[in-house]
Amino acid sequence: MAEAVPVSCPACLRENDYAAPVFPCACGSPVTPPLDLAAAPLPLTHRTWSETWVAVRCAACARVSEWPQPEVGCTSCGTVARIPVRPVERAEPGSCAPGGGVRDGLRPRPDAQGDVRGDVQGGVRGRAPAGQGRPGESGGAGTPDPAPGPRPAFRPVTIRTARDAVATAALYLRWLGFQDVRQPDGRPIPSAAVDLRAPGLVAQVDPTTAPAGLRAVECVWLNGLTASATSVYFSLAGYTQDARSRADDLGIPLFVMDLTGMPQPVNDPADALVDTGA
């Protein structure tokens, strides 16, 4: 990740630290969107998939590719702000690396995308689930339980569709330590939140372009109360102030996801869940 910089919330003016994500260029070099900190961040009130990508030029090969628009969720009021990016300058003749070329309009297609569904539905292919190695799980007959170690860094997956948002939330819950996280079969309906269930967990993912409201937070709390489980909520477009306040009162962890696929906690219960895990 790049060095964190302060970004002022356009709604409440609170400064939030933001580190621009680093993406892999096709040539293998890291690419970071050049933030335009001189321009004011804009509140995200309506999201369209076609307008959430920015062109970024690789400094190594001069290739221009499209990557998710940088966004940050305010930890105070829950507003999601879109951070401006400096436009791509025309490359000088001969500046491209040999054989590199420039391909405008290329959208990244992460190779890991094909494994996301299998990871959510039936375990991670080729690696142990995030919860293994916790106390109480025996490593074998006659051997002591291994001491729990720190969680590895979460590997985000670029969000392109509502299905990607649900899969990313499920992967993140597994990374927190929840086992057997399941999502409903079929494509998520864009106008409704999608349930995710696991032992001791009731979660909802809102893949829509409108901030989650008070009723949504109360519904996931009631579902968790009925199932005697932890309630968690994920949103792409942030939360209304009423929803934030109610979640704080009820102790509901709230997370906001940007298109890079990295969930961010937006209230104290979410911070506590990230610190302690499931």
Side-chain angles (χ1 to χ4, degrees):
M1 300 291 285
E3 182 179 355
V5 296
V7 177
S8 296
C9 174
C12 69
L13 303 182
R14 177 189 177 94
E15 287 193 344
N16 299 274
D17 288 337
Y18 176 79
V22 179
F23 302 106
C25 179
C27 72
S29 301
V31 176
T32 302
L35 305 181
D36 187 358
L37 299 179
L42 300 175
L44 181 59
T45 58
H46 180 73
R47 188 193 301 275
T48 61
W49 295 109
S50 61
E51 297 178 354
T52 49
W53 303 88
V54 292
V56 181
R57 186 185 301 280
C58 175
C61 69
R63 184 188 307 269
V64 176
S65 300
E66 288 188 347
W67 299 102
Q69 169 81 43
E71 298 171 1
V72 61
C74 180
T75 58
S76 178
C77 67
T79 299
V80 177
R82 180 170 291 171
I83 305 174
V85 173
R86 294 195 297 271
V88 174
E89 298 180 356
R90 183 180 298 274
E92 297 180 0
S95 63
C96 296
V102 178
R103 294 189 294 171
D104 292 304
L106 175 65
R107 290 198 174 179
R109 299 186 62 84
D111 296 337
Q113 183 67 24
D115 287 339
V116 171
R117 303 293 297 179
D119 186 22
V120 174
Q121 298 288 358
V124 181
R125 296 189 181 101
R127 61 186 177 91
Q132 286 190 358
R134 300 175 63 193
E137 294 180 352
S138 175
T143 60
D145 292 343
R151 290 194 304 269
F154 177 70
R155 294 183 177 182
V157 177
T158 302
I159 297 176
R160 298 173 178 276
T161 64
R163 182 184 293 272
D164 293 339
V166 176
T168 296
L171 288 173
Y172 191 76
L173 289 169
R174 289 190 59 124
W175 176 78
L176 288 174
F178 293 100
Q179 298 298 302
D180 197 25
V181 179
R182 298 182 180 274
Q183 65 184 84
D185 294 330
R187 186 178 299 277
I189 302 173
S191 61
V194 178
D195 285 334
L196 289 175
R197 299 297 178 103
L201 170 73
V202 172
Q204 283 195 328
V205 185
D206 188 349
T208 66
T209 58
L214 174 64
R215 182 177 180 182
V217 169
E218 290 181 339
C219 283
V220 73
W221 173 72
L222 288 173
N223 289 337
L225 190 64
T226 302
S228 299
T230 300
S231 301
V232 183
Y233 206 99
F234 294 85
S235 173
L236 273 180
Y239 303 87
T240 65
Q241 185 58 50
D242 288 344
R244 281 286 309 275
S245 299
R246 188 60 169 157
D248 291 340
D249 293 340
L250 299 174
I252 305 298
L254 301 181
F255 293 87
V256 65
M257 298 186 293
D258 59 22
L259 296 185
T260 65
M262 177 60 75
Q264 299 289 345
V266 298
N267 63 351
D268 290 341
D271 285 329
L273 180 60
V274 172
D275 290 340
T276 63

